[in-house]
Amino acid sequence: MAYKHMDRPSYVHSGSSWVKCLSIGASVVVALLPPIAQAQDIEAGKTVFKKCAACHNADTDSNKVGPTLKGVVARTAGTVPGYPYSKAMKDAGAAGLVWDEPNLTEYLINPKAKVPTNKMGFPGLKKPDDIKNVIAYLKSVSG
């Protein structure tokens, strides 16, 4: 005589509950990983930012040779009060350039290609991870 579904012992049915619990547990662990990775990216970005620190602040509102980058993420280009931007940067901002992640990425790869004739003499960052990490750092100080 074959077992019908209802005739199975209760421990047979509980297997699917364990699978659900493991799946939920794994989801929770995966959900917790991005903040940890992001924190590492921020620290790596802070290290990369040392290449920029001769000309820019990121943790204060004061300008140096370059404008402060505190709050740069989501800011319109060429709009830090008191900083004498190039005409090119002011025009880029007036045309709608906002420093979101894609625009920052392009700019950090090659500043002169993104905003020709801007004043920044830095040739850009070449490593994609450096760019991603410095943007993570800039986001952390843009809050």
Side-chain angles (χ1 to χ4, degrees):
M1 181 165 153
Y3 282 106
K4 295 179 184 173
H5 179 69
M6 299 298 286
D7 294 332
R8 290 185 184 163
S10 64
Y11 64 85
V12 173
H13 298 292
S14 67
S16 65
S17 295
W18 279 104
V19 171
K20 287 179 187 173
C21 287
L22 288 173
S23 176
I24 291 169
S27 296
V28 169
V29 168
V30 170
L32 293 175
L33 289 178
I36 294 168
Q38 184 179 11
Q40 292 170 343
D41 292 345
I42 290 169
E43 286 305 310
K46 191 173 185 178
T47 300
V48 173
F49 188 80
K50 290 178 183 177
K51 296 177 181 181
C52 314
C55 297
H56 297 279
N57 280 315
D59 56 352
T60 72
D61 290 327
S62 63
N63 297 318
K64 292 172 108 177
V65 172
T68 180
L69 298 180
K70 182 177 182 183
V72 69
V73 178
R75 182 168 67 209
T76 300
T79 61
V80 170
Y83 184 77
Y85 285 99
S86 65
K87 180 176 179 346
M89 192 61 73
K90 288 179 189 176
D91 290 349
L97 178 61
V98 173
W99 295 123
D100 58 12
E101 193 165 340
N103 284 324
L104 281 168
T105 298
E106 283 183 58
Y107 189 74
L108 290 172
I109 290 170
N110 187 341
K112 295 291 185 187
K114 181 68 177 170
V115 182
T117 70
N118 78 78
K119 294 191 311 186
M120 190 158 99
F122 187 71
L125 298 170
K126 302 306 173 205
K127 296 179 184 175
D129 282 346
D130 285 354
I131 293 166
K132 179 185 72 167
N133 292 339
V134 82
I135 290 172
Y137 172 65
L138 291 172
K139 283 181 177 180
S140 79
V141 295
S142 288

